[in-house]
Amino acid sequence: MGRPELDDYFMKIAEVVASRSTCLRRKAGAVLVKDKRILSTGYNGVPKGLPHCEDTGCPRKNYPSGTHHELCRAVHSEQNAIVQAAIHGVSIEGATLYCTHQPCTLCAKMLINAGIKRVVYKEEYPDNESLKFFKQAGIDVEKIGCV
């Protein structure tokens, strides 16, 4: 087994980050990287200090995946990675996002405004509008499998 390519390496880290998720539906992780260095990470879960969904139940359990985001109590992994960078004063402009799942449209808009230049994801998400946004914004997007 040889040395992993950088995309595989950072995706594996995103998968480990996802293991901290408190979401009942989907474990998602995100890693923001620039110049081969990790800037920030995030996983999906409720805002700090609030009860986890395992204690309160999932308000979206009766809705299809990718819909009714406004009902979700969790902050998406991409959003948490952006927030963590902001809290610690780390610029993410020009960074690459490695995420376990294709970002949703709301996250795509935030990533575009944050100056992300590339998005690498492993699993699809039922929200193809985000891919259209990325294309219009000139952001490189790549779906990869992990070795």
Side-chain angles (χ1 to χ4, degrees):
M1 201 167 170
R3 186 174 185 203
E5 296 294 326
L6 286 173
D7 283 350
D8 292 329
Y9 171 72
F10 289 120
M11 187 60 73
K12 292 265 188 202
I13 293 171
E15 291 172 337
V16 171
V17 171
S19 71
R20 292 282 303 151
S21 170
T22 61
C23 182
L24 299 174
R25 291 175 66 139
R26 183 185 320 266
K27 306 281 186 203
V31 179
L32 286 165
V33 175
K34 187 173 183 180
D35 298 328
K36 302 179 188 176
R37 303 288 183 249
I38 295 173
L39 303 176
S40 180
T41 66
Y43 54 86
N44 58 331
V46 297
K48 64 182 177 180
L50 298 184
H52 297 301
C53 293
E54 62 190 18
D55 299 325
T56 63
C58 177
R60 288 180 56 221
K61 66 182 174 191
N62 296 321
Y63 296 98
S65 181
T67 66
H68 296 284
H69 290 166
E70 72 279 4
L71 300 177
C72 183
R73 299 184 70 239
V75 178
H76 288 188
S77 61
E78 303 93 331
Q79 295 167 349
N80 273 324
I82 293 169
V83 168
Q84 287 304 308
I87 287 172
H88 296 288
V90 176
S91 173
I92 58 174
E93 186 173 13
T96 295
L97 173 76
Y98 292 89
C99 47
T100 56
H101 297 78
Q102 169 195 324
C104 71
T105 301
L106 179 59
C107 288
K109 292 186 284 187
M110 293 176 72
L111 293 162
I112 291 165
N113 278 356
I116 301 304
K117 296 297 179 199
R118 182 172 178 241
V119 173
V120 180
Y121 69 94
K122 183 177 177 188
E123 295 182 35
E124 292 179 350
Y125 188 71
D127 182 355
N128 288 326
E129 289 300 312
S130 66
L131 299 176
K132 293 176 187 175
F133 272 71
F134 288 137
K135 184 175 182 178
Q136 290 173 345
I139 295 175
D140 294 327
V141 178
E142 185 176 354
K143 180 180 188 277
I144 66 169
C146 233
V147 291

